[in-house]
Structures are given as C-alpha cells and as structure tokens.
C-alpha cells in the first residue's frame, strides 16, 4: 500500500476532493474506539481569560474549533466554502434593499443537548450577551453593526443593523453568534472553565489539569437538528506540547489524525513517503502571518521606522528558508485567493533594498541603528516561528539600520501582554472568521479591533469599511478594499509576511480527512469516519 499525498483545489465554492477511499466509510468507530485527533493548540483558563470557551470571549482558531462542534449558529459554511447557508435557521435573508434588516426563522424541533427547546429568545439573549460583555479579546467587534435584535414568536429573529453590512450572514456563521442556554451562561460575565452547553452536532466533555485542557471528548448529540451529519459517534481531541510530540503519537498509533500545526520537516517527510500507512492531505488555506505595531510605542511611533522595516523584509527568503512549500510571500493583509486582493506592499516598496530603507529613515531624521525587540509566541503557531523570527532579525540587522533582538513568550502571557500594549513589535497569525476580504481588514483596523491597535485612520473606519459592506456582490467591494490596502502599505500599522497552506495527516483507516479543515482552517470533526483505504 502506497502512502498518498492529496492536493485539493483552491477554488472556493468548488472544493472537490480528488480521492475516494476503497472501502465504505461507515458511521461507527473501529472496535468502538473514538477517532483521536491531535493538535498543538493549547487551551488554558487564566486570570486574563477565565472563560476560554465562552463565545463572548473566545477569539482564536483553536477555541473556535472546539465551539464549532458544540454550539449551533443560525448560519454555517458549506464544506467546500462559498456563501453561508442556514444551519439552526431554516431560512435567513435580508428583507430590505439596503442590507440593514436581516431576518431568520428557526428550524422546527431545535433543542439544546439537555432537551430544552431552542427559541428565538435564546438567540437574542446570546447575541445581546456578547455585545453587553464586550470582552477585551475583541470578538464582539464582529457584531458591531448590530443595532437591535428583535424576536417575533418563538421562531423568528430580526436583526436591525446600524449600517449596511453584506458580510453579516458570514458573521452569523461564526462561534461569536453561537446559541447558548440562558440558564448556563450569565448575562453580564463570562462563564468560567471549559464547559460548553449548546445544540450543536456534539456534546463536549473536557478533561483538565492545572487549568489546562488535556483532552476534549466530543460525543454525537442525538438531539441535534441541523445541516451537518456526523459520520462518527465520538472524537477525542488531544493537545500536544509541540509538533514533535504529536508526530510521535501518530507514529505510535496513539492518535489517528493530526492537524495544526505540523512542522515543515514533518510535512516533507510525509510527502516523501516515509510512512505508507499515513496519508498527507494538502488543502487551500487562508492563514496569514504578520508583524503588528503598537504605533504609540517610542521605537516605532514614527511611520518611517515601520516603512523601513517593510522595505527591508525579504519575504521570499523568509518563506523558502523556514517553510519551504508550506507558505508563499504575502504583500497585503488580504490573501491572494480572495476578491479584492492587491499586492499593495510590493507595489509601494518593490524588492528589498537597504538604500531605500536608509533614505526613508534619513528623511525622517531617525537615528540608526534603531533598537527594537521583536516578540513572538513560542507555543501557538508551530515550531517554525522561532526560526522565522531569527531570520527576520538577521535580515533587519544585516542592513546596519536596525539593532534587533527577538524574544519568545508562552501564548497565554503573550496574548495578554500584546493586548495591554506591552510590545512595540510582535508577530501574530490570523485564521479568518469567514472567507471575505473584509475579515482581513476590519478585525485589524476597525473600532474595538482584535489587536487593540492604537492606530486610527478615519478614512478606513468611517468611509471605506462601511462603503465596502454595502456591496452585496463582494467583487463590487474591491475598489474600497484596494484603497484600504494602499493606506495600510503607506502607514504600516501591520506588516504582512506570508500566506500558508494547510495540511492534515491521517492514518489510512480514517476517511474524510480531506474535509477535516475548510479553507478558513475550521475543524469539521463530523466529516471523519472509519473505513478501509487501498
């Protein structure tokens, strides 16, 4: 039996797998065992984040992937991308010509896992709660176009928006709009710990130690009424400290599948056919990495310093040295596969140039070398991150214009300090909430943004973002989206670095691995089953 590498096409909405297993998938687990999935995501309850799985606070890809299995949303994304479709709702639509009134009617027979009926009042409670708590994570900003939520009877929910927002259906497909039980989730504070109570495809049992999640057990929710059809009865998600430990568990047969984040070395090894019993699946990805700037910090307050860094960073060398074929250089916050993308940073800065960077700093009266510390997280984005920042340090220091150090910090501390404005320069990744250019701009640049950036551009916030959201045909928003990208390239509040591909490695008896992640890196555990591959 030969190891298989599957490469799936990158056309959103036409996301068709190229492999069909030789055996019948079947809905049961082999010998009654759960399908076991490994991840390097970590989940911790801390003083800063006491409710890591509360949809009013959670705003990272790992936590959202747990919530997507357990909380139902009015809308959802099809397995191959495209436009959002009803999930807990039987229908949803704008009912005006200005994209300011959005109406949903719930499915019949919706219940929480405990058996209580899900009603329009529960939907309103869930949304109002997120907006009322307004967590420091910035997740509530996704719903900031909502003015009021109205209910009519027990099935109809009407959203009255402050401004037109054609992206609103996408937002209702994200966990921030997850429907929670009012008796389990306090109205004015976060629900602490790792319990999740919803009406989604699975129930969750969390095993913890010292405030950390050590295992998440997902059991099929027999009361679930929705669009997804779980192909298994139980899935276990196991966090690992690093990619090496996760890979060793796959080799030993302790897990059946591993997702984010594998190391470049692991992916090359699997691509070369090192294990005939494991298939590697490559799927289109919209993950991006970037540097963020606290534009009020002394070292980077002057725009010229940020522009000089943009002029010096060699993305091609960075990606080829660290990630090989796993990543491609990115010259905008908007990935190349989305409508509205423009290579704004390349258009402005061109090829890396020390002379041009020196001229930028000289004209602004900046004394060189500029001393900076680049901060990164050691345990959130995979083992390539440390090497990536070593390369960035080398590139900037080689110019003689910068004196850069790098410092790694554990995620739970890193994220809290970034939000508090402790770092002048820091590295982060972004896995989109939904596949639209708006979601690669507004979360960074709008009010209440994900990064808590002090940078404010009134043209972006007051004109360009609202204007782009008026366009129901998203290709019609491209002009406004491109203008935003040009402003970002000029002011450099963030510096995009690369766009990644995504990979899943699964043992041969696991079917559905090609659907385990969608283009936005959303985990779809309901697609997995046992079967026979040949």
């Amino acid at each position: 039996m030969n190891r298989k590498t599957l490469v799936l096409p990158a056309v959103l909405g036409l996301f068709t797998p190229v492999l069909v297993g030789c055996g019948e998938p079947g809905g049961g687990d082999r010998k009654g065992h759960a399908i076991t999935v490994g991840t390097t995501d970590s989940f911790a309850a801390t003083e800063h984040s006491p409710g890591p799985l509360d949809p009013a606070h959670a705003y990272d890809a790992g936590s959202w992937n747990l919530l997507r299995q357990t909380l139902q949303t009015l809308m959802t994304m099809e397995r191959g991308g495209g436009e959002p479709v009803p999930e807990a709702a039987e229908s949803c639509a704008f009912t005006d010509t200005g994209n300011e009134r959005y109406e949903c009617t719930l499915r019949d027979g919706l219940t929480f896992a405990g058996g209580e009926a899900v009603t329009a009042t529960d939907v309103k409670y869930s949304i109002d709660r997120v907006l009322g708590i307004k967590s420091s994570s910035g997740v509530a900003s996704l719903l900031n176009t909502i003015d009021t939520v109205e209910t009519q009877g027990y099935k109809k929910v009407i959203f009255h928006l402050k401004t037109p927002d054609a992206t609103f259906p996408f937002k209702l497909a994200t966990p921030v709009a997850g429907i929670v039980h009012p008796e389990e989730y306090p109205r004015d504070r976060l629900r602490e710990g790792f319990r999740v109570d919803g009406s989604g495809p699975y129930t969750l049992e969390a095993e913890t130690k010292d405030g950390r999640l050590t295992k998440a057990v997902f059991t099929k929710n027999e009361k679930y009424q929705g669009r997804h059809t779980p192909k298994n009865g139980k899935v276990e998600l196991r966090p690992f400290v690093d990619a090496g430990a996760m890979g060793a568990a796959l080799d030993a047969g302790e897990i059946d599948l591993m997702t984010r984040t594998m190391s470049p070395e692991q992916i090359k090894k699997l691509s070369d056919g090192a294990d005939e019993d494991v298939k590697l699946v490559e799927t289109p990805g919209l993950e991006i990495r970037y540097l963020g700037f606290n534009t009020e910090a002394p070292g980077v307050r002057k725009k010229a310093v940020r522009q000089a860094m943009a002029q010096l960073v060699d993305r091609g060398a960075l990606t080829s040295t660290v990630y090989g074929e796993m990543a491609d250089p990115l010259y905008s916050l908007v990935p190349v596969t989305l409508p509205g993308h423009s290579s704004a940073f390349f258009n402005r800065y061109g090829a890396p140039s020390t002379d041009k960077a020196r001229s930028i700093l000289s004209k602004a009266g900046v004394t060189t070398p500029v001393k900076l510390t680049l901060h990164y997280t050691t345990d959130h984005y995979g083992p390539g991150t440390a090497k990536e920042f070593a390369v960035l340090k080398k590139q900037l220091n080689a110019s003689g214009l910068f004196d850069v150090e790098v410092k790694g910090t554990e995620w739970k501390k890193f994220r809290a300090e970034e939000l508090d404005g402790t770092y002048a320069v820091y590295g982060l990744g972004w896995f989109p909430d939904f596949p639209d250019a708006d979601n690669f701009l507004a979360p960074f640049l709008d009010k209440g943004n994900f990064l808590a950036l002090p940078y404010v551009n009134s043209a972006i916030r007051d004109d360009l973002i609202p204007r782009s959201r008026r366009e129901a045909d998203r290709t019609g928003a491209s002009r406004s989206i491109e203008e935003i990208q040009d402003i970002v390239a000029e002011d450099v509040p963030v510096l995009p670095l690369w766009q990644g591909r995504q990979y899943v490695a699964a043992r041969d008896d696991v079917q559905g691995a090609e659907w385990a992640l969608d283009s936005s890196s959303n985990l779809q555990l309901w697609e997995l089953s046992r079967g026979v591959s040949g």
Side-chain angles (χ1 to χ4, degrees):
M1 177 163 47
N2 293 324
R3 183 210 53 82
K4 306 174 183 68
T5 298
L6 316 181
V7 181
L8 305 186
V11 181
L12 294 176
L14 298 174
F15 190 45
T16 306
V18 297
L19 174 78
V20 177
C22 297
E24 292 295 324
D29 298 330
R30 182 180 57 187
K31 298 180 182 180
H33 292 171
I35 295 174
T36 307
V37 177
T39 179
T40 58
D41 287 325
S42 60
F43 310 91
T46 65
E47 181 179 353
H48 175 77
S49 180
L53 298 186
D54 189 321
H57 174 77
Y59 203 13
D60 64 89
S63 297
W64 269 24
N65 278 334
L66 270 61
L67 294 178
R68 288 182 188 277
Q69 320 309 312
T70 49
L71 294 183
Q72 218 170 355
T73 48
L74 292 171
M75 303 290 283
T76 190
M77 300 301 297
E78 293 273 44
R79 56 154 43 169
E83 297 294 317
V85 294
E87 212 290 75
E90 66 179 24
S91 64
C92 283
F94 283 106
T95 57
D96 66 338
T97 58
N99 294 334
E100 292 183 291
R101 186 181 190 274
Y102 196 74
E103 184 175 303
C104 293
T105 301
L106 297 180
R107 290 177 182 264
D108 289 327
L110 287 179
T111 65
F112 290 105
E116 304 89 344
V118 175
T119 70
T121 301
D122 299 321
V123 177
K124 174 177 168 56
Y125 178 90
S126 302
I127 299 296
D128 287 346
R129 177 176 178 270
V130 170
L131 294 172
I133 291 175
K134 200 175 182 179
S135 167
S136 62
S137 69
V139 70
S141 66
L142 276 173
L143 304 178
N144 65 7
T145 56
I146 294 176
D147 185 14
T148 59
V149 184
E150 175 189 355
T151 62
Q152 291 183 2
Y154 69 94
K155 288 184 61 177
K156 186 170 290 187
V157 185
I158 302 169
F159 298 92
H160 300 278
L161 306 184
K162 301 172 186 175
T163 58
D165 186 1
T167 69
F168 190 66
F170 286 100
K171 296 170 181 177
L172 291 183
T174 65
V176 69
I179 305 168
V180 302
H181 197 307
E183 294 181 6
E184 302 292 343
Y185 290 80
R187 179 181 295 274
D188 57 357
R189 66 182 188 280
L190 297 178
R191 182 183 186 180
E192 298 185 3
F194 294 94
R195 285 187 59 197
V196 181
D197 290 282
S199 56
Y202 296 94
T203 60
L204 169 64
E205 180 181 348
E207 297 183 14
T208 63
K209 182 179 180 180
D210 298 329
R212 288 184 175 273
L213 183 74
T214 56
K215 183 192 295 185
V217 180
F218 296 96
T219 302
K220 183 178 178 180
N221 176 13
E222 299 296 345
K223 295 183 175 65
Y224 169 69
Q225 298 288 327
R227 192 173 190 88
H228 307 303
T229 304
K231 298 178 174 63
N232 58 73
K234 183 175 290 187
V235 179
E236 293 182 1
L237 185 74
R238 297 185 185 176
F240 289 87
V241 293
D242 54 40
M246 181 171 64
L250 185 71
D251 292 341
E254 296 171 4
I255 61 174
D256 300 298
L257 180 148
M258 61 181 183
T259 58
R260 53 185 297 257
T261 304
M262 289 181 271
S263 70
E265 293 77 17
Q266 286 174 323
I267 290 169
K268 185 178 187 307
K269 180 180 176 182
L270 289 170
S271 297
D272 291 342
D275 190 339
E276 294 183 348
D277 296 323
V278 175
K279 56 178 177 273
L280 180 69
V281 183
E282 177 187 332
T283 64
L286 295 174
E287 171 193 4
I288 69 168
R289 298 285 176 86
Y290 58 92
L291 294 179
F293 297 93
N294 177 355
T295 52
E296 292 182 350
V300 294
R301 183 180 295 135
K302 285 192 174 181
K303 180 169 63 175
V305 174
R306 308 191 301 270
Q307 290 176 329
M309 293 176 69
Q311 184 65 72
L312 289 170
V313 169
D314 188 336
R315 295 167 177 82
L318 175 67
T319 54
S320 62
T321 300
V322 182
Y323 297 104
E325 296 182 355
M326 290 177 60
D328 298 297
L330 182 63
Y331 296 91
S332 168
L333 283 174
V334 179
V336 295
T337 46
L338 290 182
H341 164 82
S342 73
S343 295
F345 276 80
F346 186 82
N347 296 341
R348 179 171 183 81
Y349 299 100
S353 169
T354 297
D355 289 341
K356 290 181 180 179
R358 182 179 293 109
S359 176
I360 292 170
L361 294 171
S362 177
K363 289 178 181 178
V366 176
T367 302
T368 59
V370 178
K371 292 192 174 187
L372 291 174
T373 299
L374 307 187
H375 295 266
Y376 69 93
T377 176
T378 57
D379 59 340
H380 196 66
Y381 297 118
T385 309
K387 186 175 181 181
E388 176 182 342
F389 274 73
V391 171
L392 287 171
K393 173 183 175 179
K394 183 177 180 181
Q395 289 184 358
L396 293 170
N397 288 350
S399 70
L401 302 173
F402 286 87
D403 181 4
V404 165
E405 295 295 333
V406 297
K407 183 178 180 181
T409 304
E410 187 180 21
W411 172 252
K412 65 178 183 179
K413 181 180 179 183
F414 175 89
R415 178 64 172 144
E417 292 185 338
E418 180 271 313
L419 286 172
D420 288 341
T422 303
Y423 307 144
V425 191
Y426 50 88
L428 278 172
W430 181 250
F431 297 86
D433 308 319
F434 52 88
D436 186 277
D438 177 270
N439 193 240
F440 288 87
L441 298 172
F444 302 92
L445 305 169
D446 209 353
K447 297 176 183 176
N449 63 74
F450 164 73
L451 298 178
L453 283 179
Y455 171 80
V456 176
N457 184 286
S458 58
I460 291 176
R461 289 190 179 182
D462 301 335
D463 178 29
L464 295 172
I465 289 177
R467 190 198 308 171
S468 72
R469 289 174 174 169
R470 295 189 188 104
E471 299 290 344
D473 178 357
R474 299 308 293 153
T475 58
S478 292
R479 182 173 179 180
S480 300
I481 295 296
E482 290 170 6
E483 287 186 47
I484 295 172
Q485 292 168 86
D486 289 340
I487 293 172
V488 171
E490 161 68 22
D491 292 349
V492 201
V494 289
L495 177 58
L497 297 172
W498 55 265
Q499 176 179 347
R501 302 168 192 175
Q502 56 186 15
Y503 298 85
V504 172
R507 304 203 70 80
D508 259 357
D509 67 336
V510 173
Q511 300 297 295
E514 62 270 30
W515 301 114
L517 293 175
D518 70 10
S519 63
S520 297
S521 299
N522 299 322
L523 196 58
Q524 303 176 132
L525 295 180
W526 51 83
E527 296 284 0
L528 302 177
S529 62
R530 297 283 188 190
V532 180
S533 180

